[in-house]
Amino acid sequence: MTLEDLVRLRRARDTMDRDYAEPLDVTALARGAHMSPGHFSRSFRAAFGETPYSYLMTRRVERAKALLRRGDLSVTEVCFAVGCTSLGSFSSRFTELVGESPSAYRAGPHDDSAVMPACVAKIHTRPVRNRPADDARS
């Protein structure tokens, strides 16, 4: 992989970080990186350790956790606010990454993270795939 490829992949990842709530797809991201969708997906995974779709969904779940902690939006409203179009898919992915359903997460206590600076909270609340369920609410 060339340095130019890495720069393009980083720009695509930055787009996902910034525009996570927008309707993004691998084809459009690949076009922006001047790569075919297949090459883009393989290169993204090689560079960042997960597929573009997986990265995007992790980012959306991360933002959903923050919205659910506030408690003023329903799970459905949060689903659409973070750019998901299917409540079922959103709930499944959220449960997979966090270890509990969005409703259970919303109902749980969140006082510790409320007083944490945002930069610290981001480190500790980022969803991590394959974390043990009893360890998932850190």
Side-chain angles (χ1 to χ4, degrees), residues 19-24 53 56-57 59-61 63-64 67 76-87 90:
D19 299 332
Y20 63 87
E22 299 299 319
L24 298 172
Y53 177 76
L56 178 60
M57 287 304 295
R59 179 69 178 103
R60 286 175 171 170
V61 167
R63 180 64 182 139
L67 293 173
T76 303
E77 291 170 323
V78 168
C79 168
F80 294 124
V82 299
C84 294
T85 56
S86 165
L87 182 59
F90 167 74

Side-chain angles (χ1 to χ4, degrees), residues 21-101:
E22 299 299 319
L24 298 172
D25 61 34
V26 171
T27 303
L29 292 166
R31 193 177 318 115
H34 307 290
M35 297 178 182
S36 71
H39 181 68
F40 174 76
S41 291
R42 287 186 301 275
S43 298
F44 191 95
R45 185 175 193 142
F48 302 116
E50 60 185 325
T51 65
Y53 177 76
S54 179
Y55 182 85
L56 178 60
M57 287 304 295
T58 300
R59 179 69 178 103
R60 286 175 171 170
V61 167
E62 179 182 48
R63 180 64 182 139
K65 285 175 67 176
L67 293 173
L68 289 167
R69 281 193 303 271
R70 285 186 0 199
D72 60 341
L73 297 175
S74 71
V75 172
T76 303
E77 291 170 323
V78 168
C79 168
F80 294 124
V82 299
C84 294
T85 56
S86 165
L87 182 59
S89 296
F90 167 74
S91 294
S92 295
R93 183 55 66 107
F94 188 98
T95 302
E96 175 189 336
L97 292 173
V98 178
E100 62 184 333
S101 71

